[in-house]
Amino acid sequence: MCDLFVLAWLWPYAETRRKCARSWSSVVRLMERYPEFTFTCSQAQLLQWVKEDYPVLYSKIKLHAAEGRFIPVGGTWVEMDGNLPSGESFIRQFVLGQRFFEKEFGSKCKVFWLPDTFGYSAQLPQIMRLAGIECFLSQKLSWNLVNTFPHNSFWWQGIDGSTVLAHFPSGDSYAMNGTVSEVIKCAENNKDQGRADISMMLYGYGDGGGGPTEDMLERIDRVKNIDGIPRVKSSTPDIFFAQLAQCHNLCKWVGELYLELHQGTYTTQAQVTRTEALA
């Protein structure tokens, strides 16, 4: 599951740090009540803020991380833009992020977690592999305006021939609610049926944080084994991708993953354009 966190958007910067504490305090309480509940968390910067501002909460997070239930993912310092940064900038994201995760949680991330960005440079698979990343998760291409992206599970090949196992959840969302209709959509919307009959369902309040709620967990628990709807199982990204890797005949996508949406957003602000040119 996923709690997408936008570091800065419709609220003051200082509020982001408080949102981290509120969201993950809720996650920790839910873990005490639901032993099968697992939670993924990307962006080393957010964890660094919690470590600085809420050390007691951070100690509880590390305890659940050691249990394999609070799961750091991503391997980068933040969930960065996938188009504008240079190769060196991408590399620094992974160097700083992986260094943090290894120091604080004992191991580097194997899954690059980037659910909400405006496109994906063709150099990313090479950089991911050099950073120790083997798998990639996103979902933004489901927002394409014209051409529907043809896959949910596939191998993504970069410009140097490096490949990573990629998954775009078939629910087309990083903030689902765990309803029966969403479970059915995840199965029926899978574009790779016959090659890969599994998909992640990412649920919880995202963007401004919040994460899963008790109602969502109760719904998930009730639909796990009901005749007439797809089977649902709480799991982890590593387990999911290990199962996905066993699927044969997955298709391969070579080069850039282009998002047919948000055109012009990089050039609407003169300061952004000037700063990128200077960088």
Side-chain angles (χ1 to χ4, degrees):
M1 72 189 51
C2 167
D3 180 24
L4 172 71
F5 230 120
V6 180
L7 273 69
W9 186 25
L10 303 176
W11 47 85
Y13 162 79
E15 185 63 21
T16 303
R17 301 176 76 125
R18 294 190 288 267
K19 284 175 179 284
C20 293
R22 293 196 296 270
S23 297
W24 295 343
S25 293
S26 175
V27 167
V28 167
R29 287 195 298 272
L30 289 172
M31 285 184 172
E32 294 169 355
R33 299 188 56 187
Y34 297 89
E36 294 186 0
F37 171 46
T38 59
F39 179 80
T40 58
C41 170
S42 67
Q43 306 191 93
Q45 177 65 83
L46 299 179
L47 290 162
Q48 178 64 36
W49 283 337
V50 173
K51 181 180 179 181
E52 294 171 357
D53 299 346
Y54 306 94
V56 174
L57 173 59
Y58 190 69
S59 66
K60 294 181 180 179
I61 287 173
K62 294 193 70 172
L63 176 63
H64 289 301
E67 298 171 346
R69 300 175 62 202
F70 193 104
I71 305 166
V73 293
T76 53
W77 191 253
V78 299
E79 290 181 5
M80 69 284 195
D81 176 72
N83 276 324
L84 288 184
S86 65
E88 181 178 352
S89 181
F90 282 136
I91 290 169
R92 288 180 179 180
Q93 283 281 350
F94 283 105
V95 168
L96 294 176
Q98 291 287 52
R99 184 182 297 166
F100 177 89
F101 289 121
E102 185 173 33
K103 177 182 177 181
E104 295 293 324
F105 298 96
S107 62
K108 295 179 180 179
C109 299
K110 297 181 180 179
V111 179
F112 180 35
W113 197 272
L114 193 64
D116 187 15
T117 190
F118 295 176
Y120 313 85
S121 168
Q123 63 187 316
L124 279 170
Q126 177 183 5
I127 295 172
M128 280 187 251
R129 294 308 298 255
L130 292 173
I133 300 287
E134 302 172 355
C135 307
F136 171 55
L137 180 138
S138 189
Q139 65 83 45
K140 195 72 172 186
L141 290 192
S142 66
W143 293 27
N144 275 3
L145 287 177
V146 180
N147 299 294
T148 300
F149 189 72
H151 302 295
N152 292 109
S153 300
F154 59 100
W155 292 98
W156 183 21
Q157 180 176 310
I159 54 179
D160 77 323
S162 298
T163 58
V164 291
L165 183 57
H167 180 66
F168 293 179
S170 53
D172 294 343
S173 175
Y174 51 73
M176 305 187 88
N177 294 304
T179 64
V180 171
S181 61
E182 289 173 339
V183 173
I184 294 173
K185 178 182 179 180
C186 287
E188 294 183 345
N189 199 45
N190 183 1
K191 302 179 184 67
D192 295 282
Q193 294 184 36
R195 292 185 292 265
D197 294 327
I198 58 175
S199 178
M200 283 195 191
M201 184 174 74
L202 307 179
Y203 61 95
Y205 290 109
D207 289 330
T213 65
E214 185 173 359
D215 287 344
M216 294 177 191
L217 294 180
E218 288 290 338
R219 282 195 290 268
I220 292 293
D221 187 61
R222 283 164 171 74
V223 302
K224 283 183 178 178
N225 190 17
I226 296 179
D227 290 340
I229 66 173
R231 298 294 175 89
V232 179
K233 180 181 180 181
S234 295
S235 188
T236 68
D238 285 350
I239 292 174
F240 173 83
F241 277 106
Q243 293 177 333
L244 187 61
Q246 299 302 312
C247 297
H248 301 292
N249 301 319
L250 291 179
C251 296
K252 180 186 293 184
W253 185 272
V254 180
E256 179 186 8
L257 294 168
Y258 179 73
L259 175 66
E260 299 174 359
L261 190 69
H262 299 320
Q263 284 83 0
T265 55
Y266 294 122
T267 56
T268 56
Q269 299 294 324
Q271 183 179 358
V272 172
T273 305
R274 179 176 182 274
T275 304
E276 287 294 338
L278 291 174

